[in-house]
Structures are given as structure tokens and as C-alpha cells.
Amino acid sequence: MTQPAPADRPLSALVLFSGGQDSTTCLADALTRFERVETVGFDYGQRHRVELAQRGVVLQALRRRFAAWDARLGDDCVLDASVLGTVGDSALTREVAIQMQADGLPNTFVPARNLLFLTLAAALAYRRGLQVITVGVSQTDYSGYPDCRHDTMQAMQRALSLGIGQHVVIDTPLMWIDKAATWQLAHALGQRAEPVGGGDALLELIVEHTHTCYTGERSRRHDWGYGCGHCPACQLRADGWRRWRARKV
Ligand code: ZN
């Protein structure tokens, strides 16, 4: 998963980058494996604009701290996907409390979000000549979101390849690992980039700058980062951090 790309392997990737823990880890993973990496984000009318603001902060911090990655990191763009806020009714795009719905999914689910994001990313990758699309979805910690499943990604890869007329590769480095292993992966990737202190530096960067909390809370700093500490996203992140620290000690 983190092997450098041999000559006959794809050399470039487009990373779906939200500024959260998972997509930042995916970006570090792509910067380890590919010669050229670009990033794309989406403005889908998310209630808490802090998520979009942190994207630039994380990218800058990565460039500053990891010279090898700075050399590989190319353009970033944010695409307008605000139509999701118009057609959907999610707690991420409307001022409503986070709760479970009758269909068993949390109301933080934005229907078809990843499907739209991947379609837009595939169109951008086509124009930019990027060979692989990397996305930080996980079936292990997926909160029941059907658009994070391996089968969904396989189906999207096939649909996009057929619809675009060339082979589209959707790369999902976090698909089978949980949040504790995601922290562990980030540490390993940082260490690999800079054997002296790089692992801890990448973890510190993720803790300090990435944003995952559904409520947009950034005034409270925990050992695992900023957030309300109570929403499902904070709970997953905090629990993963604790399990990774316990394993490490
Ligand atoms: Zn939270």
C-alpha cells in the first residue's frame, strides 16, 4: 500500500482532500507512492466553513514540514458541489441536531455525496492527465454510509471507466483499516518521509490542523485534535487516537 511506484505503475494521483484526518493521511500516502499529486476539494454548502478553511492550512503545513512532499504536490482546486445542499436534507448542510434516521443511517449522511465527488474528480483527473483517484473512504469505520463501501467504489470505478472511455482507478488506502490504524499509518508515512522525527511531526500536524468535527467546533483542543468531543466524527477520531496510543506505549 505504501510502496513507491515502480516505472510501470501509475505515477500521478488526484486526492479528494477535505482537510480532515482521513484525507490528509491519504494525501501523505499518495505523496509517498506517486511522483505527482494534485488535490481537489468540494464546497457542498457544508454548515461549517472551517472545514474548507483548514484545507489550505494543512496543505501549507505539509509543504513547510516535508520538503520531499512539497516537490511532488501540485495544484489544488475547490469545486462547487453546492447542489447537494439544495437537493439533500443532511445535518451537515442544515441547522438540525445530529440523530439517527428511520432508515438506520445518521442524518449526517449526504445521499450520493461521494458518488458526485468521484464523478467530478474523474472529470478533473481526465483533464489534468492524472492516472489514479485517491479517496479516504473506509468500510471499517464507515458509520453505515453506503457510499463508503468497497462494493460502491468498485461499481463507481467501473461506471466511470465505461462512461469516460478510459480506465479509471479509484484508490482507497483506508478501506480496511480502522481509526487507530489510520493514526498508525500517518505516523509510518511521516517517518518514511523524514526518518528523524517525521512520524511525530505528521501526527502533530494532523492533530493541530485537520478538521473532522461535524459541529465545526475548533475552540477546544484535545490530545487528538480540535472538536466538540461528542459528535460521531469526534468520537471515532478520539477513540482511534486512544487505541493507537495504548498500542504504541
Ligand atoms: Zn465533534
Side-chain angles (χ1 to χ4, degrees):
M1 186 164 54
T2 58
Q3 297 302 307
D8 60 340
R9 298 281 297 277
L11 296 176
S12 60
L14 176 64
V15 178
L16 273 69
F17 178 64
S18 70
Q21 175 191 353
D22 290 348
S23 66
T24 300
T25 306
C26 280
L27 177 56
D29 187 58
L31 288 165
T32 304
R33 290 184 293 143
F34 302 105
E35 296 298 323
R36 182 163 68 98
V37 177
E38 297 189 11
T39 46
V40 61
F42 300 95
D43 183 346
Y44 61 96
Q46 48 269 66
R47 270 163 60 186
H48 301 293
R49 314 301 287 173
V50 63
E51 190 181 306
L52 285 174
Q54 287 309 113
R55 293 180 77 258
V57 176
V58 173
L59 287 175
Q60 245 183 16
L62 277 175
R63 285 187 185 282
R64 256 200 318 269
R65 184 60 182 79
F66 296 93
W69 291 349
D70 182 32
R72 294 176 169 201
L73 189 52
D75 290 353
D76 174 52
C77 80
V78 175
L79 299 178
D80 180 3
S82 55
V83 67
L84 278 174
T86 310
V87 299
D89 190 28
S90 165
L92 297 191
T93 52
R94 285 184 62 236
E95 289 288 336
V96 294
I98 297 171
Q99 58 190 17
M100 291 304 284
Q101 303 175 143
D103 61 3
L105 289 171
N107 64 345
T108 47
F109 177 55
V110 181
R113 177 174 56 173
N114 283 339
L115 309 186
L116 178 63
F117 288 180
L118 286 166
T119 302
L120 293 172
L124 182 63
Y126 180 91
R127 176 164 68 84
R128 303 286 301 167
L130 299 163
Q131 297 158 289
V132 170
I133 298 167
T134 298
V135 58
V137 291
S138 171
Q139 185 154 337
T140 312
D141 276 343
Y142 77 133
S143 308
Y145 295 171
D147 60 347
C148 292
R149 290 181 298 194
H150 176 69
D151 285 355
T152 306
M153 293 299 121
Q154 292 285 299
M156 275 306 283
Q157 185 170 274
R158 179 164 163 72
L160 290 169
S161 296
L162 285 170
I164 286 176
Q166 64 183 40
H167 192 44
V168 171
V169 179
I170 298 179
D171 172 48
T172 56
L174 309 183
M175 182 58 77
W176 305 112
I177 67 175
D178 64 12
K179 275 285 193 290
T182 303
W183 285 111
Q184 185 177 19
L185 173 62
H187 188 270
L189 292 167
Q191 198 67 17
R192 182 171 176 153
E194 288 198 15
V196 182
D200 288 341
L202 184 56
L203 284 194
E204 195 181 308
L205 188 156
I206 289 172
V207 165
E208 195 59 36
H209 299 305
T210 67
H211 183 82
T212 310
C213 177
Y214 285 153
T215 74
E217 169 68 49
R218 279 196 78 74
S219 62
R220 246 179 300 168
R221 165 73 146 78
H222 312 263
D223 51 358
W224 45 266
Y226 291 88
C228 70
H230 305 295
C231 75
C234 280
Q235 283 176 1
L236 269 178
R237 180 166 165 153
D239 178 62
W241 173 264
R242 276 191 289 273
R243 285 187 292 118
W244 141 248
R245 298 306 288 182
R247 208 180 294 173
K248 196 180 170 223
V249 172

